[in-house]
Amino acid sequence: TITCAGQVCAVDSFQRTVPSGHWEIVANPYPTAISLADIETSGFTPGASGDGSDITWGNAPAIQILKADGSGYKYYFYISDAGIDGSDSDPWDATGWASLDDGLLVTGTQLEVGQAFWINSKTEGVLTFTK
C-alpha cells in the first residue's frame, strides 16, 4: 500500500501562470495522463525551429519531461513553424509544442498521472489544464 499527500482538482479547468526567465516545475493537476497538445497555452512567445542550427529554437519556451527510465529528459519547444505528422505542408506553419526529435507537433501522451515537468520561457505565460 502506498499513501501520497496531495490534492486533485475538483474544477473542470485549472490555470497555472508561469513567470518569465527561470525554470518552473509544474505538475499535471488531474488523475489522468495527458498530452501537451491538450494543455491550452497563452501569453508565451513562440520560437522557430528555422534551419535547425539553433538547438534552443530561437529561445522558444521549453519543457523538459523526465524519461521513464530516469536517464535524462525529453525536450519540447513552443514554436510557430512546427510540422503536423502526415502533412506535406512546406513550410511548416503550425504553432504549438513540438518535439526536439523531429519538429512535429506532439501527439499521444507526454505526461502520466501525477507527473511533473520543467518549463522555462522568456515571456510570462499561462497553461490551462482541462478535465
Side-chain angles (χ1 to χ4, degrees), residues 25-26 63-76 110-112 115-118:
I25 195 161
V26 177
I63 284 179
Q64 295 181 6
I65 300 174
L66 186 64
K67 293 178 184 178
D69 65 5
S71 66
Y73 289 89
K74 287 277 294 176
Y75 296 89
Y76 302 93
Q110 286 79 45
L111 295 167
E112 298 299 332
Q115 187 171 17
F117 58 93
W118 291 100

Side-chain angles (χ1 to χ4, degrees), residues 46-119:
S49 63
D51 64 6
S53 62
D54 174 8
I55 63 167
T56 69
W57 286 356
N59 291 313
I63 284 179
Q64 295 181 6
I65 300 174
L66 186 64
K67 293 178 184 178
D69 65 5
S71 66
Y73 289 89
K74 287 277 294 176
Y75 296 89
Y76 302 93
F77 291 90
Y78 189 69
I79 58 174
S80 61
D81 62 346
I84 299 172
D85 194 20
S87 173
D88 291 329
S89 61
D90 187 30
W92 294 358
D93 60 1
T95 298
W97 293 103
S99 171
L100 177 63
D101 298 335
D102 56 18
L104 297 175
L105 289 179
V106 295
T107 59
T109 299
Q110 286 79 45
L111 295 167
E112 298 299 332
V113 175
Q115 187 171 17
F117 58 93
W118 291 100
I119 183 168

